[in-house]
Amino acid sequence: MIIGWIGLGNMGVPMASNLLSTGYAVRVWNRSPEKAAPLVALGAKQTESLAQLVDECDVLFTMVSDDEAVKAIYTGTDGLLSARVSGKLAIDMSTIAPETSRFLAEQSKKAGLRFLDAPVSGSVGPAKEAQLVIMVGGEKADYDVAKPMLDKLGKAAVYLGSHGAGTSAKLAINLLLGITVQGVAETLLFARSLGIDTEQMLEIISQSAVETPLIRGKAASILADDFPAAFALKHMAKDLRLAREAGVATPLAESAQATYRHALEEGLGELDLMAILRHLKGATPTSK
Ligand code: NAP
């Protein structure tokens, strides 16, 4: 079985690397071809075009930015669905709207392509360590085929039901992520405004009932006031927008959507989502 991997961003590179290092034959394609270099160095074959990748592979993974990117890859001119896809399996791991997952499943079915939505929870660290949590929607029989591959990417691959169920669960977990990161930022800024040192506050949180691997993982970045993107803030803003479009209208969700949108407008989109701290520092009246 040959795997085709489309999308070599922060997540795509370590995920495709894990499939390679566990023995799968992997072909790669990325819109910006130079990003394939680390995979080629590990033994992947880079194809000249998307059509060539589709032609040479049995399973087609996509891990790209957003709905527009996935649609461009599937339905664009010279896109995946314009190639010979009949009988193959496509697994989209991007975070997109459940409605788009269902649309892609329908379009794929017309072309004889089986489709799964399988977005992930966990950032670059868990991607490198194959510790992602994968949420899957689609036909159970296709999930069974995909499971051994998904097991090389994550610690759990959960089957949730029909097309769009994976992306629905992903929007829900990322709502919690957005709210949590904003909560941590507000807590640290509040503590600082009362004269409490950030390093000591992080230590207190790490010993408390609200300690999470997330906060532990962001501590160095917070203390250095340096936010290289593991999970870009623009993607968090996108996921909260998608959650809103999918119907969430609760108080914390509304607040988080507005906060990340404002941070995006402030130009922080390419930084890690923890840069919401920098935005709130400027925006919060209590900050000093
Ligand atoms: P990223 O680093 O920004 O990479 C985005 C990828 O999408 C790149 O390969 C990019 O190609 C490609 N792309 C964007 N627009 C495209 C288009 N119109 N046509 C073709 N390719 C296009 O993103 P990431 O962090 O890897 O995230 C990928 C997905 O996983 C997103 O949906 C994100 O929400 C989700 N996710 C991310 C994390 C995380 O921590 N990073 C965690 C969980 C889920 P170029 O190289 O040519 O720009």
Side-chain angles (χ1 to χ4, degrees), residues 6-15 29-35 50 62-73 92-96 119-127 132 170 174 177 218 229-232 234-236 238-239 242 270 272-273:
I6 301 156
L8 296 169
N10 290 327
M11 295 296 280
V13 168
M15 292 169 77
W29 182 86
N30 192 61
R31 181 180 60 175
S32 310
E34 67 280 4
K35 290 196 189 163
L50 195 49
T62 39
M63 187 53 162
V64 293
S65 304
D66 52 22
D67 295 58
E68 287 66 36
V70 187
K71 279 185 182 164
I73 285 164
D92 178 42
M93 306 196 78
S94 323
T95 305
I96 58 171
V120 307
S121 178
S123 193
V124 174
L132 296 167
K170 171 61 186 172
N174 265 26
L177 174 66
K218 301 292 183 199
F231 180 38
K234 66 179 177 186
H235 291 321
M236 187 75 253
K238 177 248 312 177
D239 296 351
L242 292 175
E270 298 301 328
D272 190 69
L273 84 164

Side-chain angles (χ1 to χ4, degrees), residues 5 11-12 15 60-67 70 74 90-102 104 115-123 126-127 131-138 143 146 149-151 153-175 177 231 235 238-239 242:
W5 192 281
M11 295 296 280
M15 292 169 77
L60 304 162
F61 281 90
T62 39
M63 187 53 162
V64 293
S65 304
D66 52 22
D67 295 58
V70 187
Y74 272 73
I91 305 174
D92 178 42
M93 306 196 78
S94 323
T95 305
I96 58 171
E99 199 182 307
T100 304
S101 299
R102 288 189 284 271
L104 294 171
F115 177 87
L116 291 172
D117 46 294
V120 307
S121 178
S123 193
Q131 291 294 303
L132 296 167
V133 176
I134 305 168
M135 296 150 276
V136 189
Y143 164 78
M149 291 171 270
L150 300 180
D151 285 344
L153 301 173
K155 61 181 173 186
V158 186
Y159 179 70
L160 292 153
S162 57
H163 294 116
T167 36
S168 295
K170 171 61 186 172
L171 294 189
I173 187 72
N174 265 26
L175 175 62
L177 174 66
F231 180 38
H235 291 321
K238 177 248 312 177
D239 296 351
L242 292 175

Side-chain angles (χ1 to χ4, degrees), residues 61-260:
F61 281 90
T62 39
M63 187 53 162
V64 293
S65 304
D66 52 22
D67 295 58
E68 287 66 36
V70 187
K71 279 185 182 164
I73 285 164
Y74 272 73
T75 61
T77 320
D78 300 327
L80 199 150
L81 289 174
S82 65
R84 283 176 297 166
V85 289
S86 187
K88 302 186 188 226
L89 174 63
I91 305 174
D92 178 42
M93 306 196 78
S94 323
T95 305
I96 58 171
E99 199 182 307
T100 304
S101 299
R102 288 189 284 271
F103 167 77
L104 294 171
E106 275 167 31
Q107 298 301 310
S108 298
K109 193 173 180 184
K110 285 181 195 162
L113 175 70
R114 289 130 61 212
F115 177 87
L116 291 172
D117 46 294
V120 307
S121 178
S123 193
V124 174
K128 285 183 182 159
E129 291 150 22
Q131 291 294 303
L132 296 167
V133 176
I134 305 168
M135 296 150 276
V136 189
E139 295 291 335
K140 175 72 167 58
D142 294 334
Y143 164 78
D144 291 338
V145 172
K147 181 81 167 48
M149 291 171 270
L150 300 180
D151 285 344
K152 304 293 185 216
L153 301 173
K155 61 181 173 186
V158 186
Y159 179 70
L160 292 153
S162 57
H163 294 116
T167 36
S168 295
K170 171 61 186 172
L171 294 189
I173 187 72
N174 265 26
L175 175 62
L176 181 58
L177 174 66
I179 289 169
T180 304
V181 169
Q182 181 172 340
V184 171
E186 290 190 14
T187 299
L188 294 175
L189 288 170
F190 173 56
R192 204 182 296 171
S193 76
L194 298 180
I196 306 299
D197 174 68
T198 297
E199 190 166 4
Q200 287 183 307
M201 197 62 219
L202 283 167
E203 173 61 20
I204 290 163
I205 294 171
S206 77
Q207 301 294 337
S208 77
V210 292
E211 187 269 340
T212 73
L214 170 76
I215 305 175
R216 223 180 308 133
K218 301 292 183 199
S221 191
I222 291 169
L223 291 172
D225 188 31
D226 185 23
F227 302 102
F231 180 38
L233 191 147
K234 66 179 177 186
H235 291 321
M236 187 75 253
K238 177 248 312 177
D239 296 351
L240 291 168
R241 173 179 55 77
L242 292 175
R244 183 192 195 95
E245 288 166 6
V248 72
T250 49
L252 287 172
E254 299 234 322
S255 165
Q257 282 153 15
T259 308
Y260 286 92

